[in-house]
Amino acid sequence: MPAIYMSKKSFRLLSYVLVVLFVASTSWAAQADDLTVKTHQGKVQGKASAGGVRAFLGVPFAAPPVGALRWKAPAPALKWKGTREAISFGYHCMQPTLYADMIFRDPGQSEDCLTLNIWTPEGAKQAKQKKLPVMVWIYGGGFLAGGTSEPRQDGAALAQNGVVVVSMNYRLGIFGFFVDHDLAAENEHHAAGNYGLMDQAAALGWVRENIKSFGGDPDNITLFGESAGSFSVSAQMASPLAKGMFAKAIGESGGAFSRTLAFPMLEDAAKIDVAFAGKAFDTTSLASLRALSAEQVLEGASRKDAGVPRFVPDIDGYFLPENVSAIYAEGKQAKIPLLAGWNKDEGSGSVLAAKQKPTVESLRIMAAQIFGERADEALRVYAAANDEEALRVAEDYAGDTFIAYSTWAWLEAQVKTGEAPVYRYRFDRGSPGDPNHPASSGAFHSDDIEYVFGNLDLRKGAAWTPEDYKLSKLMQTYWTNFAKTNDPNGTKDSTTPVPAWPKYDASGQWQVMHLDSESTARPDQHRDRYLFLQSIGDQVPNASE
């Protein structure tokens, strides 16, 4: 056989080609390896997302809560063989259509909805440095609606700040919070309800067990949420079932210290829910109710003629051994760092939509109706010298009774422990206007979500300005600094300087960070209002009652 002759030039060229192919194949293998992660249930393969972020979507964290598992605590996720694609969102949980600004990017709704999503910076899995902080998000929607596939809470942009972001679905409405005496009887803890909250805790458990494989630190988890998600964060801090599962908390607009969304006792909730089931489904038999399709249950749960209950968490004696405010008052909650606050115009929508605008005289009448003998005291803290001021005061009171007071009470309860830093904010940046929220809405309820997640461009029809993008970047920095260091200011060697955010306590004159085009901290200007509302009890009267 003749020898094969190759010139030096040809040899060098071949060597170069082989090196390029080797480097390319190595790079491809590294990328493919970065997109494939082994969990305790099986391997998942994600996809490359914007900004060098890896996304793993629709990963089951619990068994489908269907059939005999309906209205039970979540069971462990089933294992699978091979590699499961995790490139698209799972179904959102069963819910009625309630909010025009809730847009989903998933296949639709299903009772089989207990999945979560993970966004992690490129290379986080292989990195030899310390594991990244983890931020676990709980969406809002009044415990009736919501889902992780909403564009505004996509985690890709936030993960670019050097954190692993996780979001989970949890059962809603009648599927997540139906209470029945027979359900309590079949439960080993004699508890019923709170399946949605237990879903959240199960997702946290899954994260602690698996997140290290995605480059995250299971011992540095920040739980954060908005509205009902914020209520949930405060409840998870109170529950013995979630003890030690997260290291710090962020609450955006809401705490489980409210009258407008008060958690009933199991016995009270069961009486109402069972009576409703009899009217809506013509049966109270658990077997019959579990035999109904998810669509039949949802349809029945929407029957106004049957007197639809408020399906919210209850004091079940197990997940919540007692009222949340009592747990905090006794110092039994998680004593961890907390950052929380609310938006300036939480309650303005209802006031501005009213046919009759508030006046000084109408405020006086309302105060007498609500507060009786303490009306003069109420008018001193909610003072208005003219009708223009009366409109602003009425908006403030509506926001206080809707969301602000409950968040304030949560902050105050956590400050009393003195064992961990607490930070308070108010989001003041008014909406530029969009199809669902005119500019007159101001800093409306939920307005902050796109800012925190860095997703302004995903809110369609909004005319954002450079100041909005600047504020969004600042809020991302504050939130992720807190996740990394327990302090929104970061550390002395933090690469991005931010306006100083003092702790919220008496020694600092109860400083509040006002988030706006120019963000600054200053002492609480309305502490007297919240102390007054507190003095009449945690069950604060509502402006609509």
Side-chain angles (χ1 to χ4, degrees):
M1 185 174 183
I4 298 175
Y5 173 76
M6 181 180 292
S7 67
K8 290 183 178 179
K9 183 177 180 181
S10 298
F11 180 77
R12 287 197 298 270
L13 179 61
L14 178 61
S15 299
Y16 173 76
V17 171
L18 290 173
V19 168
V20 170
L21 290 174
F22 173 76
V23 171
S25 63
T26 302
S27 175
W28 177 87
Q31 183 183 46
D33 185 57
D34 202 26
L35 289 172
T36 303
V37 175
K38 184 178 181 181
T39 74
H40 284 250
Q41 286 71 42
K43 290 183 179 180
V44 293
Q45 185 170 29
K47 64 180 180 179
S49 187
V53 171
R54 302 309 195 215
F56 301 83
L57 309 177
V59 181
F61 67 84
V66 300
L69 294 182
R70 181 183 287 170
W71 299 314
K72 284 190 176 183
L78 305 175
K79 294 186 177 183
W80 58 82
K81 294 181 180 180
T83 301
R84 181 189 182 104
E85 276 198 343
I87 60 174
S88 57
F89 292 101
Y91 295 98
H92 61 270
C93 294
M94 300 296 296
Q95 59 192 271
T97 300
L98 293 177
Y99 305 107
D101 59 352
M102 279 191 177
I103 302 168
F104 302 119
R105 300 174 293 170
D106 53 47
Q109 64 179 349
S110 170
E111 200 170 3
D112 180 5
C113 62
L114 299 186
T115 61
L116 52 73
N117 317 294
I118 304 128
W119 291 269
T120 185
E122 183 178 9
K125 178 184 167 186
Q126 289 85 13
K128 294 181 180 179
Q129 70 267 29
K130 186 179 179 181
K131 296 294 182 180
L132 296 176
V134 182
M135 300 184 71
V136 178
W137 171 255
I138 307 178
Y139 55 75
F143 296 110
L144 290 171
T148 61
S149 70
E150 286 191 72
R152 58 183 168 181
Q153 57 195 30
D154 188 287
L158 188 60
Q160 292 178 42
N161 292 271
V163 295
V164 175
V165 179
V166 181
S167 63
M168 94 285 278
N169 284 329
Y170 60 96
R171 282 172 282 180
L172 299 162
I174 191 170
F175 296 92
F177 301 100
F178 178 66
V179 183
D180 182 286
H181 298 104
D182 291 336
L183 285 169
E186 73 176 17
N187 181 270
E188 62 178 320
H189 304 287
H190 307 292
N194 292 337
Y195 318 108
L197 293 181
M198 287 188 276
D199 293 342
Q200 297 169 9
L204 277 168
W206 190 97
V207 170
R208 283 189 60 83
E209 189 175 55
N210 292 284
I211 206 64
K212 190 173 182 179
S213 298
F214 295 86
D217 183 354
D219 295 320
N220 188 13
I221 295 173
T222 298
L223 189 62
F224 71 132
E226 186 270 342
S227 194
S230 188
F231 275 77
S232 297
V233 173
S234 67
Q236 296 291 344
M237 285 176 62
S239 175
L241 273 65
K243 187 174 183 179
M245 297 180 73
F246 53 103
K248 58 207 80 169
I250 298 176
E252 302 170 29
S253 301
F257 295 76
S258 170
R259 182 183 187 182
T260 55
L261 200 63
F263 297 173
M265 301 299 294
L266 185 153
E267 187 64 27
D268 296 331
K271 290 178 181 177
I272 295 172
D273 290 5
V274 170
F276 166 77
K279 295 177 182 177
F281 304 107
D282 200 28
T283 181
T284 59
S285 161
L286 277 184
S288 298
L289 292 172
R290 283 177 169 146
L292 295 172
S293 69
E295 290 74 20
Q296 288 174 314
V297 174
L298 183 62
E299 182 180 359
S302 303
R303 281 187 53 184
K304 293 183 180 180
D305 62 319
V308 181
R310 288 169 52 255
F311 293 110
V312 297
D314 68 309
I315 312 305
D316 64 348
Y318 175 54
F319 188 89
L320 292 175
E322 53 186 322
N323 187 282
V324 172
S325 59
I327 292 173
Y328 278 76
E330 295 162 9
K332 295 179 180 179
Q333 80 278 23
K335 298 177 179 65
I336 57 177
L338 172 64
L339 184 156
W342 57 87
N343 299 352
K344 180 182 178 181
D345 302 298
E346 296 279 5
S348 296
S350 59
V351 176
L352 295 175
K355 293 182 180 180
Q356 297 294 326
K357 296 297 183 286
T359 63
V360 171
E361 178 61 17
S362 69
L363 280 184
R364 185 189 65 78
I365 295 172
M366 183 180 74
Q369 292 174 339
I370 295 175
F371 298 105
E373 294 180 354
R374 301 189 66 177
D376 289 343
E377 191 177 350
L379 291 171
R380 280 196 295 272
V381 296
Y382 288 97
N386 52 55
D387 289 349
E388 182 179 354
E389 290 183 6
L391 177 61
R392 181 68 249 179
V393 165
E395 292 175 341
D396 288 348
Y397 180 72
D400 289 346
T401 56
F402 167 47
I403 283 291
Y405 172 78
S406 69
T407 317
W408 178 87
W410 178 19
L411 285 156
E412 292 286 313
Q414 195 67 357
V415 166
K416 286 182 180 179
T417 69
E419 297 186 30
V422 176
Y423 298 89
R424 178 182 156 193
Y425 74 87
R426 193 179 78 175
F427 180 80
D428 290 348
R429 182 71 176 168
S431 169
D434 63 66
N436 294 308
H437 309 96
S440 60
S441 301
F444 59 86
H445 184 62
S446 81
D447 193 14
D448 54 307
I449 298 175
E450 286 94 341
Y451 287 84
V452 168
F453 279 91
N455 290 332
L456 296 184
D457 291 337
L458 298 182
R459 186 193 292 181
K460 303 300 182 184
W464 302 114
T465 67
E467 287 77 12
D468 291 302
Y469 291 100
K470 174 186 173 183
L471 177 57
S472 176
K473 186 58 183 176
L474 176 63
M475 292 176 69
Q476 291 175 68
T477 301
Y478 276 142
W479 265 235
T480 55
N481 277 350
F482 182 75
K484 295 170 184 176
T485 69
N486 298 350
D487 186 339
N489 300 287
T491 58
K492 291 182 180 179
D493 57 352
S494 295
T495 56
T496 305
V498 293
W501 187 339
K503 294 178 182 177
Y504 178 71
D505 55 31
S507 64
Q509 297 183 310
W510 308 105
Q511 294 280 332
V512 180
M513 174 56 73
H514 289 261
L515 299 167
D516 206 335
S517 55
E518 294 298 329
S519 298
T520 184
R522 54 181 181 265
D524 184 6
Q525 298 174 312
H526 297 299
R527 184 170 177 80
D528 55 349
R529 293 179 177 177
Y530 306 116
L531 290 172
F532 167 71
L533 295 176
Q534 185 182 57
S535 73
I536 60 175
D538 288 336
Q539 304 301 306
V540 178
N542 186 283
S544 64
E545 295 181 347

